Amino acid sequence: MEENAGRANCKNRTEIKPIVGLTKVLPKSVLESIVMEAMLRHRFLRDVAELRSAELRDQASGREAFGSARLAYISAMIECHAQQACLSTLLDVLGYVPEIGGIDDVDLK
């Protein structure tokens, strides 16, 4: 668990103020479990977005520019990025990235 592992240097960070307000008063142990759950949720949403991307690539070219596969991909990416903003805010409040057993490649950038 590294304190602010390079996170303080990011200037283009989106902070979700209601999340800060709700979580800054929590004990670190409680906040850490919330952050770990958010990390797992982000990984799930990232995997869904990757599946939607694969479905889009598998579609024959020349189809509708905004067919159902493309819209499903866009929707999945919006949900993934929204969760990432939430996760980034939670990590900023916590001050470090907690370790989750069995998950080595969670993207926290």
Side-chain angles (χ1 to χ4, degrees):
M1 293 188 260
E2 296 178 28
E3 290 287 326
N4 291 324
R7 301 181 60 74
N9 294 330
C10 285
K11 294 181 182 177
N12 294 328
R13 197 168 261 338
T14 300
E15 181 181 87
I16 304 173
K17 292 181 191 269
I19 291 175
V20 173
L22 289 167
T23 59
K24 69 181 177 183
V25 298
L26 295 175
K28 290 287 187 185
S29 61
V30 173
L31 181 55
E32 187 174 284
S33 67
I34 291 170
V35 169
M36 287 191 278
E37 184 178 327
M39 290 168 69
L40 294 171
R41 177 83 178 140
H42 177 263
R43 181 171 183 155
F44 170 76
L45 292 172
R46 183 196 63 193
D47 291 347
V48 169
E50 287 177 0
L51 286 172
R52 299 297 175 253
S53 177
E55 290 170 357
L56 183 58
R57 282 191 307 269
D58 289 343
Q59 269 191 353
S61 62
R63 292 216 176 171
E64 290 182 57
F66 295 101
S68 62
R70 182 171 179 84
L71 294 177
Y73 168 71
I74 291 169
S75 178
M77 288 300 293
I78 289 170
E79 193 171 354
C80 184
H81 286 291
Q83 177 64 19
Q84 180 61 57
C86 177
L87 176 56
S88 292
T89 298
L90 287 168
L91 287 167
D92 286 343
V93 174
L94 183 61
Y96 61 91
V97 179
E99 292 182 30
I100 297 181
I103 298 181
D104 299 328
D105 63 338
V106 175
D107 178 15
L108 301 175
K109 296 177 185 163

